[in-house]
């Protein structure tokens, strides 16, 4: 299992450097800067362990899953920008709030479509049981991540 962890960490580093989509580091009072590379690596190892992926399964699944995560991030980028701009404004209008609501709705639809598309790809690599374990592990990791960041 240790070899799988090392493989995943190395493989994640390669994927991360290939993507090179840098997340902006926001330094807010009381918040640590976000280290995207560390997040992805930690998440990949966590998912590999919780799902019980073999090295061969991880070599195919993890890059696919990272690709999905990146696409979902990109889909939401414009909406996050709109939200940050609205937050900064003092004189917000109903029209601006409606625009944000519409944007969020569109993002949710696009992400749902991506989830559906990638579920079919995942089925080519993993069993249904492994996919369910992956979905649970993904949620659990995010919950732990948020809890740890709030400390």
């Amino acid at each position: 299992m240790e070899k799988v962890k090392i493989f995943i960490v190395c493989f994640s580093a390669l994927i991360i450097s290939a993507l090179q989509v840098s997340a902006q580091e926001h330094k807010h009072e009381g918040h640590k800067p976000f280290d995207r590379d560390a997040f992805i690596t930690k998440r990949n190892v966590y998912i590999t362990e919780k799902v019980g992926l073999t090295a061969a399964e991880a070599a195919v699944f993890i890059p696919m899953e990272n690709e999905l995560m990146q696409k979902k991030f990109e889909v939401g980028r414009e909406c996050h920008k709109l939200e940050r701009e609205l937050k900064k404004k003092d004189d917000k209008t109903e029209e601006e709030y409606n625009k944000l609501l519409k944007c969020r709705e569109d993002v949710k639809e696009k992400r749902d479509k991506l989830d559906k598309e990638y579920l079919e790809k995942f089925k080519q690599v993993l069993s249904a049981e492994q996919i369910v374990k992956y979905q649970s592990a993904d949620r659990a990791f995010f919950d732990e991540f948020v809890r740890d960041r709030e400390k």
Side-chain angles (χ1 to χ4, degrees):
M1 194 59 174
E2 191 62 34
K3 288 182 180 179
V4 172
K5 287 181 191 176
I6 292 168
F7 173 80
I8 296 300
V9 170
C10 292
F11 195 75
S12 295
L14 285 172
I15 294 297
I16 291 164
S17 62
L19 292 175
Q20 265 324 326
V21 178
S22 62
Q24 292 180 342
E25 290 186 13
H26 297 286
K27 294 183 180 179
H28 301 288
E29 281 185 35
H31 291 294
K32 300 176 216 163
F34 180 70
D35 184 346
R36 186 172 189 277
D37 295 349
F39 172 84
I40 291 172
T41 300
K42 210 170 163 182
R43 184 172 175 273
N44 290 344
V45 169
Y46 184 91
I47 287 171
T48 300
E49 287 178 355
K50 295 295 182 185
V51 177
L53 298 177
T54 66
E57 289 169 334
V60 176
F61 177 72
I62 293 298
M64 216 184 306
E65 205 286 326
N66 286 339
E67 181 179 79
L68 170 62
M69 188 173 70
Q70 181 61 35
K71 286 182 178 183
K72 288 169 91 172
F73 173 78
E74 291 297 327
V75 163
R77 181 173 267 170
E78 187 61 36
C79 201
H80 292 301
K81 180 182 172 194
L82 188 63
E83 190 168 357
R84 282 190 307 274
E85 289 170 358
L86 186 59
K87 205 177 229 182
K88 291 177 186 176
K89 288 184 79 174
D90 291 330
D91 54 339
K92 300 165 182 88
T93 67
E94 188 70 11
E95 182 181 334
E96 290 169 322
Y97 280 115
N98 280 324
K99 185 177 178 183
L100 179 58
L101 287 174
K102 175 71 173 129
C103 184
R104 287 179 176 175
E105 183 181 323
D106 292 346
V107 165
K108 184 178 179 339
E109 287 175 12
K110 288 174 185 174
R111 286 181 175 166
D112 287 347
K113 185 177 177 185
L114 283 168
D115 283 335
K116 209 171 187 181
E117 175 188 331
Y118 275 80
L119 176 60
E120 294 307 312
K121 291 180 180 185
F122 294 166
K123 285 179 181 179
Q124 303 300 311
V125 180
L126 304 179
S127 69
E129 179 185 1
Q130 287 174 308
I131 293 170
V132 170
K133 285 181 178 180
Y134 150 69
Q135 291 169 336
S136 295
D138 188 40
R139 279 190 298 277
F141 178 81
F142 186 74
D143 291 346
E144 286 180 28
F145 174 78
V146 169
R147 249 191 329 270
D148 288 348
R149 266 201 55 94
E150 289 176 348
K151 291 180 182 178

